Amino acid sequence: MGYLEGFGVTFRKWGEGVTTREYRAGRGTSSKGVPDPNDQKAPKPERAHGRHVLNRYEDGMEKCIGCELCAGVCPAKCIYVRGADNPPEDPRSPGERFGFIYEINYLRCIHCDLCVEACPTEAITETKLFEFSFENRADAIYTKDELLVDDDGMPQKLPWEDWRPGEDQNTSGWMRATAPAGRAAYENRVGWSGELGYGVRAPELGQADSADSAPEEDANDDDHSDSGGHH
Ligand code: SF4
Ligand code: SF4
């Protein structure tokens, strides 16, 4: 296509009106500048991928064991993890190691969720929040202190994030495409261990036509997946 034909397409499209939709996310105002109570965020799909959280067990222990699998699988190379031995007098996670440093660079993250899939302990999951922005590059790198869920097991509401009531529900667990054992079919099976703020979740439905289609090799998996406790 030459230049003239290209300009022709541009001019033809000019008359077709705007095709992009404005996403105001509740920031709409009336002509007098009063916030519009009816202009709320559009509902998001149940599996929408937003900014991450680092989860904790029901007793408050951190789920991350600093294994770095998430960093290794990340196609955007935006996770930086350093593990360290748990201090015997004040262990942060069950087991030997914990995530000493954990950072995600949101200027790179493409929200593919491969880190969530790779994590052996369900430590990293994604919320649905994508309404956040930064004024400098350093602020785009979330630290462990910011990613770790609070004492109620809920995502921290950071000042530059636009959370609305109820948006912190179902921020994890539902984000995975497969069960922890890698099965795509886990209908009627609890696939997650218990979690601070949410406890043990009911099995996610819709993963298979029937429970019978789940492979037999899972007999041993039920011990840990149904327990709701530490792995
Ligand atoms: S969602 Fe994808 S790009 Fe983002 S941190 Fe996880 S693996 Fe990396
Ligand atoms: S978030 Fe999961 S995969 Fe990443 S270092 Fe922690 S335990 Fe390992």
Side-chain angles (χ1 to χ4, degrees):
M1 180 182 288
Y3 286 118
L4 290 179
E5 290 166 286
F7 281 127
V9 171
T10 301
F11 285 121
R12 274 201 305 280
K13 292 290 177 188
W14 212 329
E16 293 182 7
V18 177
T19 53
T20 52
R21 287 193 306 166
E22 186 179 3
Y23 182 69
R24 292 186 293 182
R27 297 184 195 88
T29 57
S30 69
S31 57
K32 295 179 181 170
V34 178
D36 179 358
N38 297 317
D39 183 19
Q40 294 300 314
K41 289 185 186 178
K44 292 171 187 159
E46 192 174 34
R47 286 173 171 269
H49 294 176
R51 81 105 156 142
H52 300 74
V53 284
L54 284 172
N55 298 302
R56 296 158 66 181
Y57 289 105
E58 288 172 284
D59 60 5
M61 292 282 247
E62 296 172 10
K63 288 190 171 187
C64 179
I65 54 174
C67 69
E68 302 182 23
L69 283 175
C70 53
V73 78
C74 176
K77 302 285 179 232
C78 62
I79 302 180
Y80 176 62
V81 189
R82 293 285 300 277
D85 288 344
N86 262 312
E89 69 286 357
D90 182 26
R92 312 291 165 77
S93 70
E96 292 179 14
R97 310 263 292 168
F98 75 108
F100 175 59
I101 297 174
Y102 200 102
E103 295 176 352
I104 296 180
N105 184 343
Y106 281 106
L107 294 176
R108 294 185 183 177
C109 177
I110 56 173
H111 296 281
C112 63
D113 253 11
L114 286 177
C115 51
V116 178
E117 293 289 328
C119 181
T121 62
E122 307 156 3
I124 183 86
T125 54
E126 290 201 7
T127 71
K128 298 176 186 58
L129 185 87
F130 62 79
E131 296 89 354
F132 56 107
S133 57
F134 324 98
E135 294 182 350
N136 61 67
R137 287 175 175 269
D139 285 352
I141 300 173
Y142 273 47
T143 63
K144 178 184 169 185
D145 285 344
E146 295 168 331
L147 292 166
L148 200 62
V149 293
D150 64 18
D151 290 342
D152 293 324
M154 296 295 161
Q156 298 183 52
K157 318 296 189 298
L158 302 170
W160 54 89
E161 297 176 339
D162 183 9
W163 289 91
R164 303 296 169 83
E167 280 193 319
D168 53 5
Q169 297 299 309
N170 297 335
T171 56
S172 62
W174 310 104
M175 300 297 118
R176 292 178 71 131
T178 60
R183 303 184 307 261
Y186 54 101
E187 186 91 346
N188 293 329
R189 291 163 184 255
V190 175
W192 287 79
S193 60
E195 177 172 309
L196 187 64
Y198 296 105
V200 180
R201 295 177 184 227
E204 187 175 11
L205 303 180
Q207 296 299 307
D209 292 337
S210 78
D212 297 337
S213 63
E216 303 237 339
E217 32 79 20
D218 308 330
N220 294 333
D221 292 341
D222 291 343
D223 290 339
H224 76 259
S225 61
D226 288 346
S227 67
H230 299 162
H231 291 258

